[in-house]
Amino acid sequence: GQDCEIHPSSKFSGWAVIGKKVTLEARTEIHQSILWDGVVVKADMRISNSIITTSRIIDRPYSGEVF
């Protein structure tokens, strides 16, 4: 996405879709998930098979959820 901040240690697997102004902090993992605009994923978090809606701050792992 446009204007994103993705830490070099972030990892993607499978597929991923990220919106505008998404921030991925250190050691984040995104697996087969959709992150809408303005999402912030805090360090060391994993998102798997999930949809994270606009402007959410992720400070716990998500798996198979819509938030």
Side-chain angles (χ1 to χ4, degrees):
Q2 185 179 14
D3 297 321
C4 292
E5 295 180 31
I6 300 174
H7 192 276
S9 64
S10 296
K11 296 180 182 178
F12 295 93
S13 62
W15 55 266
V17 177
I18 60 172
K20 293 183 241 178
K21 298 183 180 180
V22 168
T23 299
L24 302 179
E25 293 184 358
R27 300 169 304 279
T28 56
E29 295 182 34
I30 311 299
H31 174 74
Q32 295 183 185
S33 295
I34 300 170
L35 309 181
W36 291 10
D37 296 345
V39 171
V40 176
V41 182
K42 295 293 190 176
D44 301 307
M45 295 298 106
R46 184 171 199 272
I47 299 173
S48 177
N49 301 308
S50 295
I51 299 171
I52 307 299
T53 59
T54 301
S55 299
R56 300 289 187 168
I57 297 175
I58 305 305
D59 57 2
R60 71 168 180 85
Y62 281 83
S63 181
E65 300 179 58
V66 176
F67 174 67

